[in-house]
């Protein structure tokens, strides 16, 4: 007597429902943490840029102008002074964690300069992961 034992359709459905419930509970928490880590990465990068800009200012007497932008931290500006002692960063300026370029404004809205990432949507404004991240001294 050779009986082949397997799972019944009902048992498979119960297991699939349990897996679905677990995914529904764990999934949103996981993706929320992913968004938080991207925001934290953007803040860390912007903080590093801000410190490099401060060193640039100490060497050159002013922050890079709008035209030179953040690239002045890597390559001496065409209209730059002989005081440039860079590069002030070891690597090129990366895009933000959502693959959008960082925005550098001189003068800033409330400070000497603004560094801005527009968040996940890449547009000004927004809430949550789409909220703007602004670094100014």
């Amino acid at each position: 007597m050779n009986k082949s034992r397997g799972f019944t359709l009902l048992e498979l459905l119960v297991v699939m429902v349990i897996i679905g419930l677990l995914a529904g509970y764990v999934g949103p928490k996981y993706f929320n943490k992913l968004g938080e880590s991207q925001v934290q990465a953007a803040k860390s990068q912007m903080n590093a840029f801000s410190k490099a800009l401060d060193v640039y200012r100490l060497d050159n007497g002013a922050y890079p102008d709008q035209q030179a932008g953040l690239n002045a931290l890597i390559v001496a500006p065409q209209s730059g002074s002989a005081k440039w002692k860079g590069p002030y960063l070891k690597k090129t300026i990366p895009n933000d964690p959502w693959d959008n370029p960082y925005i550098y404004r001189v003068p800033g809205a409330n400070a000497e300069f603004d560094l801005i990432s527009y968040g996940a949507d890449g547009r000004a404004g927004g809430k949550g992961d789409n909220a703007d991240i602004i670094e100014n001294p």
Side-chain angles (χ1 to χ4, degrees), residues 38-39 44 72 75 77 80 91 103 114-115 119 129:
Q38 288 175 315
V39 168
S44 295
V75 179
K91 297 180 181 179
I103 309 298
D114 287 336
L115 284 172
D129 291 343

Side-chain angles (χ1 to χ4, degrees), residues 26-42 97-98 120 129:
V26 174
K29 291 184 182 278
Y30 171 76
F31 287 114
N32 189 33
K33 291 294 181 189
L34 178 64
E36 288 176 18
S37 67
Q38 288 175 315
V39 168
Q40 212 42 46
W98 301 277
D129 291 343

Side-chain angles (χ1 to χ4, degrees), residues 77-108:
Q78 298 275 348
S79 61
S81 69
K83 298 177 185 178
W84 191 85
K85 297 178 185 172
Y88 297 93
L89 293 173
K90 293 181 181 181
K91 297 180 181 179
T92 61
I93 306 295
N95 284 339
D96 68 13
W98 301 277
D99 205 29
N100 298 312
Y102 286 101
I103 309 298
Y104 172 70
R105 291 190 187 141
V106 177

Side-chain angles (χ1 to χ4, degrees), residues 2 5-6 11-12 18 21 25 31 33 39 46 70 74-75 85 100-101 108 114 117 123-125 132-133 136:
N2 190 4
R5 291 205 39 114
E11 292 170 328
L12 289 174
I18 291 171
L21 289 172
Y25 178 73
F31 287 114
K33 291 294 181 189
V39 168
M46 292 167 70
L70 293 176
I74 307 296
V75 179
K85 297 178 185 172
N100 298 312
D114 287 336
S117 169
R123 290 180 285 181
D132 299 348
I133 303 164
N136 46 28

